[in-house]
């Protein structure tokens, strides 16, 4: 997985527009810590920062560079709620806990805002996010969610945008109504992740880069090994996204790596850019295999979508992505595509997050299923609180049942490809 992903990481708009942090050393000795965090993406960094603020000695081991994974490459849409939406959570946890789970995402959003302010992270925060329907017949159900979320979840921030009103918001004929969430937002994810890493370093967290974990030995303390050193720690937090299942066998099959891709156009003239999306809110469609897009502060269309379930990068990616963008915005046919990249989303079979323990002192955070930007923040906080002895909220999330993908590690991809082909077909019907 690591090798395939390396190719997708290089050409991102984010990498071209963020200032990298100085390279951190790689682990070359045997050291002791209170907590060893594996992975310097948003989940690992969030846990590390919280734990350090609580007084723990924290070491982060990162196989590549800080924010090299999905956290530095995603669509930048900070969306309240879960990829699975509320219905499965209500079924599994009951309404009262499903409400608490939803509110956790609001707390995650507030936590992001607070961190940005406290650590002065300049990351292009822009309020507003809209879900739009691709098929006219799915519009009523989408619009109904406004009343449901207001009445059942006391969430007053949603606004229904009727098919007649949508053209005032979106210069695209592809969509047929939408729901605008005034509380959700979008941002430059790499700038945010690097800012969080900087805050963690300043708080006393030690981060080792180019230090891939090769083995986890359970025990109290546990031992986490890399090629040239090891960390002995009272607690371990595994936050390695889709990359850990070969190293930590107990995680195998719990998440599926799904490739998703993004392009940005060249800078458009301001009038064209302003006309695309009112107030420059972020937008996703409501297909199962969805497109997501927004206009960047420097006037580019940033358009994501298209997926790969096999792990292989689709051929002619840039052209294929451009075609997908032009399906929604044909007026951009003359805009040059300047960046094209992608990464892997860690989806679970039910698309609910998978936070739990492998042992009383080994925690893992994964299964963000494409909604990780907010969720990683709160996940890190919940893991830190659980380590500090306040596990109630972590344990509530850990109650969500997950079934590994059918067929085990070798067969799960073909099985998923078949299942997804079905859903994709449904998107077209
Ligand atoms: C293209 C794309 C678009 C997306 N768009 C959105 C969006 O708009 N909104 C949203 O909410 N979410 C989105 N997501 C999902 C979101 O980015 C992720 O859910 C989130 O970033 C996951 O964070 P993480 O810290 O768990 O993983 P990552 O950021 O992937 O970090 C994991 C880190 O662990 C390291 N690691 C792994 N294994 C080891 C090991 N053995 N030893 C040491 N280090 C290791 C990796 O190198 C990596 O740096 C998108 C994802 C992608 C790929």
């Amino acid at each position: 997985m690591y090798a395939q992903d390396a190719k997708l990481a290089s050409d991102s708009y984010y990498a071209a527009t963020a200032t990298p942090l100085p390279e951190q050393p790689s682990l070359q000795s045997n050291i002791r810590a209170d907590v060893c965090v594996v992975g310097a993406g948003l989940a690992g960094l969030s846990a590390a920062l919280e734990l350090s603020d609580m007084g723990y000695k924290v070491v982060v081991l990162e196989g590549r560079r800080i924010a090299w994974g999905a956290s530095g490459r995603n669509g930048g849409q900070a969306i309240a709620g879960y990829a699975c939406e509320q219905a499965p959570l209500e079924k599994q946890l009951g309404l009262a806990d499903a409400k608490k789970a939803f509110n956790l995402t609001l707390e995650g959003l507030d936590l992001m805002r607070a961190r940005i302010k406290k650590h002065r992270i300049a990351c292009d925060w822009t309020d507003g996010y809209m879900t739009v329907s691709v098929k006219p017949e799915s519009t009523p159900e989408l619009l109904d969610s406004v009343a449901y979320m207001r009445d059942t979840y006391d969430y007053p921030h949603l606004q229904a945008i009727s098919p007649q009103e949508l053209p005032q918001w979106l210069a695209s004929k592809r969509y047929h109504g939408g729901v605008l969430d005034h509380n959700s937002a979008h941002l430059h994810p790499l700038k945010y992740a690097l800012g969080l890493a900087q805050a963690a370093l300043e708080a006393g967290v030690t981060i080792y880069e180019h230090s891939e974990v090769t083995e986890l030995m359970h025990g109290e303390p546990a031992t986490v090994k890399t090629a040239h050193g090891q960390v002995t720690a009272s607690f371990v937090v595994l936050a390695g996204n889709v990359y850990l299942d070969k190293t930590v066998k107990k995680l195998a099959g719990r998440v599926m790596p799904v490739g998703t891709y993004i392009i940005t156009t060249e800078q458009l003239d301001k009038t064209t850019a302003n006309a695309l999306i009112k107030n420059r809110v972020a937008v996703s469609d409501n297909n199962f295999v969805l497109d997501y897009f927004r206009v960047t502060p420097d006037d580019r269309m940033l358009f994501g979508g298209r997926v790969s379930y096999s792990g292989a990068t689709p051929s002619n990616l840039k052209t294929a992505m451009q075609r997908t963008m032009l399906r929604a915005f044909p007026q951009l046919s003359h805009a040059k595509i300047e960046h094209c990249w992608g990464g892997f989303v860690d989806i679970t079979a039910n698309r609910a997050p998978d936070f739990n323990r492998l042992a009383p002192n080994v925690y893992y955070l994964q299964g963000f299923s494409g909604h990780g930007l907010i969720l990683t923040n709160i996940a890190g906080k919940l893991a830190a609180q659980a380590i500090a002895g306040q596990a109630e909220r972590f344990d509530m999330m850990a109650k969500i049942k997950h079934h590994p993908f059918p067929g085990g590690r070798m067969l799960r991809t073909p099985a998923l490809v078949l299942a997804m082909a079905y859903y994709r077909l449904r998107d077209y019907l």
Side-chain angles (χ1 to χ4, degrees):
M1 209 77 260
Y2 244 171
Q4 283 150 319
D5 206 9
K7 288 192 211 107
L8 293 172
S10 47
D11 183 31
S12 93
Y13 160 75
Y14 301 129
T17 51
T19 312
L21 291 178
E23 193 153 310
Q24 303 299 307
S26 74
L27 183 67
Q28 299 290 335
S29 58
N30 298 350
I31 57 171
R32 182 76 170 89
D34 296 326
V35 187
C36 177
V37 175
V38 180
L42 284 172
L45 292 169
S46 173
L49 186 57
E50 288 291 319
L51 285 158
S52 177
D53 284 348
M54 290 171 175
Y56 290 93
K57 183 180 178 207
V58 185
V59 166
V60 179
L61 296 176
E62 166 53 51
R64 300 282 165 107
R65 299 290 317 272
I66 291 165
W68 171 87
S71 298
R73 306 187 218 163
N74 59 62
Q77 307 199 346
I79 308 164
Y82 296 90
C84 61
E85 301 187 347
Q86 288 305 116
L89 300 180
E90 289 173 11
K91 204 167 156 196
Q92 281 210 31
L93 302 176
L95 184 59
D97 277 359
K99 281 185 190 177
K100 287 185 192 161
F102 180 73
N103 287 338
L104 280 179
T105 72
L106 304 184
E107 189 180 325
L109 192 49
D110 288 344
L111 184 61
M112 285 181 88
R113 287 196 176 97
R115 285 172 165 171
I116 288 167
K117 196 167 168 207
K118 180 174 175 191
H119 304 295
R120 295 195 182 85
I121 305 174
C123 58
D124 307 335
W125 185 275
T126 308
D127 285 322
Y129 160 77
M130 185 160 54
T131 312
V132 289
S133 61
V134 179
K135 288 180 281 182
E137 60 275 23
S138 71
T139 308
E141 192 186 332
L142 178 64
L143 300 190
D144 283 351
S145 65
V146 175
Y148 186 72
M149 292 308 290
R150 184 192 58 225
D151 299 342
T152 312
Y153 283 85
D154 302 318
Y155 190 65
H157 303 289
L158 301 182
Q159 178 189 347
I161 309 288
S162 68
Q164 296 72 30
E165 290 167 311
L166 193 65
Q168 294 161 32
W169 283 90
L170 207 51
S172 172
K173 293 198 168 72
R174 182 165 160 78
Y175 307 107
H176 304 274
V179 169
L180 177 60
D181 182 351
H182 293 276
N183 192 32
S184 294
H186 60 96
L187 73 163
H188 189 303
L190 181 58
K191 287 184 185 173
Y192 176 67
L194 294 174
L196 211 57
Q198 180 64 39
L201 290 168
E202 283 167 13
V205 172
T206 308
I207 304 178
Y208 291 100
E209 292 185 311
H210 304 295
S211 301
E212 184 175 344
V213 170
T214 50
E215 193 181 348
L216 163 67
M217 290 165 66
H218 286 284
E220 295 187 7
T223 305
V224 185
K225 293 192 170 186
T226 68
H228 303 291
Q230 64 181 44
V231 183
T232 308
S234 308
F235 296 94
V236 176
V237 179
L238 299 170
N241 197 350
V242 294
Y243 310 101
L244 269 181
D245 64 349
K246 278 196 191 128
T247 316
V248 184
K249 299 274 183 306
K250 282 186 188 164
L251 292 181
R254 297 187 71 87
V255 292
M256 163 66 58
V258 173
T260 164
Y261 310 97
I262 304 180
I263 49 172
T264 47
T265 62
E266 62 186 330
Q267 285 183 276
L268 306 169
D269 69 79
K270 227 176 216 357
T271 315
T272 307
N274 283 339
L276 291 169
I277 309 172
K278 187 175 163 185
N279 295 349
R280 299 202 175 190
V281 299
V283 184
S284 289
D285 74 33
N286 67 343
N287 268 346
F288 187 82
V289 177
L290 52 82
D291 293 338
Y292 46 97
F293 46 90
R294 61 197 182 92
V295 177
T296 61
D298 63 350
D299 305 323
R300 299 162 193 272
M301 169 57 82
L302 183 154
F303 197 99
R306 232 191 135 74
V307 294
S308 159
Y309 299 103
S310 64
T313 305
S315 53
N316 291 327
L317 183 59
K318 202 190 241 189
T319 313
M321 283 304 300
Q322 185 180 32
R323 253 199 318 269
T324 310
M325 178 186 76
L326 294 181
R327 197 169 57 175
F329 295 101
Q331 64 270 46
L332 297 181
S333 61
H334 297 296
K336 201 173 139 218
I337 305 303
E338 285 199 348
H339 304 280
C340 176
W341 72 99
F344 288 102
V345 171
D346 49 337
I347 70 159
T348 55
N350 60 9
R351 297 196 298 153
D354 184 15
F355 310 156
N356 216 322
R357 298 174 187 81
L358 295 180
N361 63 342
V362 178
Y363 292 73
Y364 69 87
L365 306 170
Q366 62 179 24
F368 297 103
S369 302
H371 270 227
L373 207 39
I374 291 179
L375 274 182
T376 46
N377 285 272
I378 192 66
K381 183 173 173 182
L382 294 188
Q385 288 179 335
I387 285 172
Q390 295 170 308
E392 193 189 323
R393 301 191 313 159
F394 186 89
D395 288 342
M396 179 189 79
M397 294 304 289
K399 268 196 231 153
I400 299 172
K401 286 193 194 69
H402 292 277
H403 298 291
F405 283 95
R409 240 179 63 74
M410 297 311 288
L411 282 176
R412 74 191 148 116
T413 298
L416 193 83
V417 168
L418 277 179
M420 294 301 153
Y422 164 73
Y423 281 114
R424 201 166 170 74
L425 187 64
R426 261 191 6 178
D427 285 344
Y428 285 111
L429 293 176

